[in-house]
């Protein structure tokens, strides 16, 4: 599955970059996030509870940041295991561009799922992934620019 998106965030590129690398901000933004801790300069361990159609599971996993180019972006690569529900693994390239007083964040993501998740169907999985991305960016904007409303998805 592949997915991409673009969001305008009403904050400077440096502010957005700092927030994208702050475990406390990310923990508050990731839908269903129960735990997120930084394990190294470029690594994080997470526990996230997610529901995809009839399958609900708690995923434990790790992500690693690669190709780090501050404050322009990075590649995030990770994998999570949800017991009998299956697994999800993939990555995303995140780019930040200045846009006046704001920042345009673009991402291109790819993911693979296995186990019960793979039996649900790609359309439902893609819809859930899009909804979670929109929730994440809505929460993210509220963290970096409180009171400014939702991210403007384009």
């Amino acid at each position: 599955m592949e997915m991409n998106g673009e969001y305008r965030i009403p904050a400077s590129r440096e502010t957005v970059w700092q927030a994208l690398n702050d475990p406390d901000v990310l923990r508050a933004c990731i839908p269903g996030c129960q735990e997120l801790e930084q394990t190294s300069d470029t690594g994080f361990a997470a526990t996230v509870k997610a529901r995809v159609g009839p399958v609900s599971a708690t995923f434990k996993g790790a992500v690693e940041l690669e190709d780090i180019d501050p404050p322009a972006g990075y590649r995030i690569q990770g994998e999570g295991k949800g017991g009998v529900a299956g697994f999800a693994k993939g990555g995303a390239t995140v780019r930040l561009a200045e846009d006046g007083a704001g920042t345009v964040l673009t991402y291109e993501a790819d993911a693979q799922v296995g186990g019960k998740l793979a039996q649900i169907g790609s359309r439902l999985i893609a819809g859930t992934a899009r909804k979670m991305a929109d929730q994440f960016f809505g929460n993210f904007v509220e963290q970096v620019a409180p009171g400014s409303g939702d991210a403007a998805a384009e």
Side-chain angles (χ1 to χ4, degrees):
M1 173 186 75
E2 292 184 8
M3 189 170 85
N4 57 61
E6 182 174 290
Y7 295 87
R8 187 174 193 294
I9 302 169
S12 72
R13 185 165 76 158
E14 188 60 41
T15 298
V16 173
W17 175 258
Q18 293 298 326
L20 282 175
N21 289 280
D22 183 331
D24 293 330
V25 171
L26 296 174
R27 187 179 309 109
C29 295
I30 298 169
C33 186
Q34 296 176 330
E35 290 180 29
L36 180 74
E37 66 177 271
Q38 194 158 5
T39 55
S40 70
D41 285 347
T42 59
F44 298 88
T47 303
V48 176
K49 186 173 177 110
R51 180 175 196 86
V52 180
V55 178
S56 182
T58 299
F59 291 85
K60 291 185 180 281
V63 296
E64 193 71 31
L65 304 180
E66 303 170 345
D67 303 329
I68 301 168
D69 181 17
Y74 54 54
R75 172 121 180 114
I76 185 168
Q77 214 41 54
E79 181 170 358
K81 294 185 171 105
V84 295
F87 70 89
K89 65 179 177 178
T93 299
V94 178
R95 293 280 166 240
L96 303 176
E98 291 178 1
D99 182 28
T103 302
V104 173
L105 180 151
T106 56
Y107 72 89
E108 293 178 14
D110 57 271
Q112 300 85 43
V113 296
K116 282 187 181 179
L117 285 175
Q119 298 169 5
I120 290 174
S122 60
R123 189 174 291 161
L124 182 57
I125 291 170
T128 300
R130 169 62 67 190
K131 181 179 173 187
M132 289 180 75
D134 287 342
Q135 287 176 336
F136 171 85
F137 288 110
N139 294 342
F140 186 78
V141 166
E142 197 53 42
Q143 289 288 314
V144 298
S148 64
D150 292 336
E154 298 175 12

